Amino acid sequence: MILGFGALLIAASHTWQSKPLKLTYPDSWPKPAYDTARNPLTEAGVWLGRNLFYDPALSKDNTISCASCHLSFTAFTHVDHALSHGIDDRIGTRNSLVLINLAWNKSFMWDGAVNHLDMQALAPISHPDEMGSSIAEVVEKLAPNPNYKMWCFQAFGDSNLTGEYVLKALAQFQLTLISANSKYDQMQRGEITFSAQETRGYDLFKANCNSCHTEPLFTNGSFQNNGLPLDSLLGDTGRMMVTKNEADNRTFKVPTLRNIEFSKPFMHDGRFESLSQVLKHYQSGIEASSTLAKELEKNIALSETEKIDLISFLLTLSDKEFLFNTAFGYPKKK
Amino acid sequence: MKRQITFLISVFLLLFFSAKSQTEQSNFRLQFVPMFGDSIATTSGIVSAGNNNYHLSKCRFYLSNFQFFDADQKLISTESQAYLLDIEDPQSLIIITTKPKNATYIMFGVGIDSINNVSGAMGGALDPTKGMYWSWQSGYINVKLEGNFNGPHIKKFEYHLGGYAGENACYNTSAFIPISDTLNIGVSLSEFLNLAEAQETFKIMSPSATAAQLSKVFAALFQPLNP
């Protein structure tokens, strides 16, 4: 009888548990940096996070959601704006980053100011030029909402929305944004072969770019100065703003090149509009300075055909399945 | 009927076990008292301590990792919970925990240790809605102390001490504090403020070497009050 009572209790405490989710990615990839043991993914957790991601209530005047700057069909970056636009149309000082394979990121933002995916959302929510609110205000606004109460209960077994749950749910949704089915990935799996041009481009890439934009994630997560002349108006010193160390002056996090076809404009301030402008920079625009990356001290020599070859390789990193995945889109009510 | 009996049995079992565990541990009440010199610090009005006058508008800080030691200063147990103390919420200045029977000394962390600074979102006292987390750069704010020095000229002070990385790490432990059944621990804010004023530091809003240095000073303010 007592045993029966105990079993009932256990059963009751488990009914809220939603279906667990596992991050799926190619076997050849490294282990994710994100520790999912501390925030186990569930269907309900991802659903809650997806709703938060698309909810303009996260901004002070209810006009801007995360998706306003990170659109799914443009690899979760802000199209057509060099610098991201937030509330009151104030312009932030940096180009929005793509949200791809975030589970492998060791740090966040162009300067690595954020150390964990969970904590990243605090920055846009509180930034006066972005959403202009605060996590306390967001929780106060959303907690009474019956939908959020229900989703929060389904995700965490507790209907009281807290800052912790908001951040963990947003992280859960963003962890599912995995891009691993580009032409490049299909070639790696032996499902297709590259054209002669793409193969030549791939070889050029491995010779000149792979040391920083390292396969298979197309970033090594390090901070480097790739020789962009300082924009005197913005005066952005990158990583040095966090470490206050002169050796980090003008270094920025190496961005992934996955889905690069869709994430223009390029660089931390969005100064380049096209991939050929980017290649022109690596070819002849590099500015020498004490923190310039060693590999880039000599300009990268590329002929006109080599440039086209390299671009044709970069286009193999586009993953249509990722870009148009409806599971990442605006959540239509279930 | 049968159900009610089962329920009663469960309640008895529960009481029995909780009573038993209390023979090895006992409740322990810690009261923290922010002080200006010999006066108790409050946020209402101007307080004088020695020749100095202060007006305090905010005083919040984290304590964590309470550790109990025996008479030979050997560690008996560690409680990893974090507490947020706020001078405007008197209840928060009282910590009730359990102590091992043979505990003779206590030591605790002032601030949040580096592991908890890099482990993602957490709840309770560590929920970022508590306003003790930086948003633009990851990390807990261990201590917020704000107000005015009311000398011949009024001078505003604002200290947000925090930072977990490398030389700028701001987490420190208190001294070994001998314990009795209840314990009042004074936090001598005037000592901290006098020192900060003397070195002409009036504002700290991000991790730095000065923040790390003043965090050491802050951790040393915790001393048992004579009953």
Side-chain angles (χ1 to χ4, degrees):
Chain A
M1 186 66 207
I2 292 179
L3 271 180
F5 188 60
L8 204 78
L9 265 180
I10 291 169
S13 69
H14 274 236
T15 46
W16 57 266
Q17 272 198 352
S18 138
K19 222 169 125 213
L21 277 184
K22 254 185 90 107
L23 294 178
T24 46
Y25 54 90
D27 294 338
S28 57
W29 283 22
K31 285 247 158 320
Y34 191 97
D35 180 7
T36 49
R38 291 186 65 101
N39 183 17
L41 267 67
T42 61
E43 267 181 9
V46 171
W47 173 254
L48 171 61
R50 186 172 155 201
N51 277 278
L52 290 165
F53 191 89
Y54 282 91
D55 194 339
L58 267 65
S59 65
K60 188 166 201 72
D61 59 2
N62 301 318
T63 56
I64 307 271
S65 73
C66 306
S68 309
C69 295
H70 301 283
L71 290 166
S72 66
F73 53 86
T74 54
F76 288 97
T77 186
H78 203 166
V79 259
D80 291 341
H81 289 302
L83 302 171
S84 294
H85 286 207
I87 57 163
D88 300 338
D89 219 23
R90 281 184 277 191
I91 299 175
T93 58
R94 286 197 187 140
N95 182 17
S96 164
L97 271 160
V98 292
L99 307 186
I100 301 174
N101 300 335
L102 293 171
W104 285 267
N105 271 22
K106 288 172 281 229
S107 64
F108 299 84
M109 308 310 223
W110 284 102
D111 56 11
V114 172
N115 67 23
H116 197 285
L117 181 58
D118 293 359
M119 301 332 243
Q120 193 285 328
L122 295 173
I125 287 172
S126 324
H127 197 295
D129 294 339
E130 292 179 357
M131 301 167 99
S133 183
S134 76
I135 184 74
E137 200 178 297
V138 165
V139 168
E140 203 183 322
K141 214 191 295 184
L142 300 183
N145 177 315
N147 279 332
Y148 277 114
K149 270 189 188 303
M150 183 177 69
W151 296 330
C152 189
F153 181 76
Q154 289 166 344
F156 298 108
D158 180 353
S159 59
N160 291 312
L161 197 70
T162 63
E164 179 190 16
Y165 297 148
V166 167
L167 298 178
K168 283 189 161 166
L170 275 168
Q172 288 196 25
F173 170 64
Q174 294 179 87
L175 287 168
T176 64
L177 306 176
I178 295 178
S179 174
N181 198 21
S182 63
K183 195 168 181 184
Y184 161 84
D185 298 297
Q186 292 165 2
M187 184 277 289
Q188 290 292 337
R189 294 198 296 264
E191 293 162 15
I192 55 146
T193 49
F194 270 176
S195 70
Q197 190 180 44
E198 288 161 349
T199 307
R200 287 197 304 273
Y202 187 23
D203 290 338
L204 286 166
F205 182 84
K206 283 189 281 195
N208 296 301
C209 321
N210 201 42
S211 63
C212 292
H213 300 283
T214 313
E215 299 170 79
L217 297 158
F218 290 90
T219 170
N220 61 7
S222 70
F223 297 88
Q224 305 284 343
N225 175 349
N226 71 341
L228 297 172
L230 185 72
D231 181 322
S232 56
L233 198 70
L234 298 169
D236 196 339
T237 57
R239 181 73 179 148
M240 192 173 98
M241 290 168 74
V242 177
T243 63
K244 305 191 172 82
N245 184 346
E246 192 56 45
D248 295 322
N249 194 5
R250 286 158 68 181
T251 65
F252 291 85
K253 193 172 66 176
V254 176
T256 180
L257 299 184
R258 285 183 171 272
N259 301 300
I260 195 72
E261 178 184 1
F262 297 95
S263 62
K264 72 172 189 175
F266 303 115
M267 304 301 171
H268 68 268
D269 52 5
R271 67 177 70 189
F272 297 136
E273 281 298 326
S274 68
L275 287 173
S276 66
Q277 282 178 341
V278 169
L279 292 189
K280 202 165 145 226
H281 162 72
Y282 282 111
Q283 194 183 20
S284 59
I286 287 178
E287 185 183 87
S289 66
S290 61
T291 56
L292 177 65
K294 286 276 164 300
E295 308 89 300
L296 297 175
E297 278 172 358
K298 278 211 316 262
N299 283 328
I300 297 173
L302 295 169
S303 70
E304 281 311 303
T305 34
E306 283 175 328
K307 266 165 74 173
I308 296 167
D309 293 345
L310 191 46
I311 290 177
S312 76
F313 168 71
L314 293 176
L315 300 185
T316 70
L317 301 178
S318 300
D319 177 353
K320 298 264 159 54
E321 188 187 293
F322 172 80
L323 295 168
F324 299 106
N325 191 336
T326 49
F328 302 156
Y330 183 83
K332 309 228 168 57
K333 300 286 172 272
K334 291 201 269 208
Chain B
M1 182 60 193
K2 236 180 177 179
R3 258 225 209 129
Q4 280 165 351
I5 291 173
T6 321
F7 178 68
L8 281 178
I9 292 174
S10 320
V11 170
F12 275 124
L13 282 175
L14 211 79
L15 287 175
F16 178 71
F17 281 116
S18 50
K20 189 166 182 283
S21 65
Q22 273 180 14
T23 56
E24 275 115 46
Q25 303 223 311
S26 56
N27 274 342
F28 180 55
R29 183 179 189 278
L30 277 145
Q31 164 88 57
F32 290 85
V33 190
M35 306 282 289
F36 279 136
D38 295 330
S39 339
I40 293 177
T42 66
T43 49
S44 55
I46 293 167
V47 188
S48 333
N51 298 326
N52 301 304
N53 302 316
Y54 312 90
H55 173 71
L56 190 66
S57 56
K58 188 174 275 179
C59 172
R60 315 177 85 203
F61 53 89
Y62 277 117
L63 301 179
S64 61
N65 297 324
F66 280 77
Q67 295 189 309
F68 292 96
F69 297 83
D70 67 13
D72 303 325
Q73 302 200 344
K74 242 179 60 206
L75 180 66
I76 313 170
S77 68
T78 301
E79 189 206 291
S80 61
Q81 201 182 327
Y83 299 88
L84 177 56
L85 286 76
D86 184 343
I87 198 167
E88 302 212 81
D89 172 11
Q91 274 307 313
S92 74
L93 301 176
I94 300 167
I95 293 178
I96 294 173
T97 176
T98 51
K99 79 173 171 69
K101 226 174 79 190
N102 54 339
T104 320
Y105 295 96
I106 191 173
M107 190 166 96
F108 47 84
V110 181
I112 301 301
D113 62 19
S114 66
I115 288 290
N116 281 314
N117 266 292
V118 298
S119 303
M122 284 174 284
L126 293 174
D127 195 298
T129 50
K130 303 284 180 202
M132 296 292 279
Y133 196 93
W134 275 304
S135 56
W136 42 270
Q137 176 173 358
S138 295
Y140 282 97
I141 302 167
N142 293 333
V143 177
K144 272 191 184 178
L145 199 60
E146 298 173 14
N148 298 314
F149 293 107
N150 287 44
H153 304 286
I154 290 183
K155 184 93 195 161
K156 202 175 146 185
F157 62 79
E158 202 170 3
Y159 305 110
H160 291 187
L161 307 180
Y164 61 91
E167 291 164 15
N168 293 343
C170 286
Y171 174 79
N172 294 287
T173 48
S174 70
F176 269 101
I177 297 175
I179 55 183
S180 42
D181 281 343
T182 61
L183 186 57
N184 294 333
I185 297 180
V187 192
S188 179
L189 299 179
S190 46
E191 209 175 300
F192 177 93
L193 291 172
N194 293 345
L195 202 132
E197 189 183 21
Q199 69 183 49
E200 294 188 24
T201 306
F202 296 101
K203 188 170 178 156
I204 295 183
M205 300 302 280
S206 61
S208 68
T210 315
Q213 174 243 333
L214 284 178
S215 294
K216 284 207 180 73
V217 173
F218 194 87
L221 305 177
F222 293 79
Q223 295 296 340
L225 289 177
N226 296 328

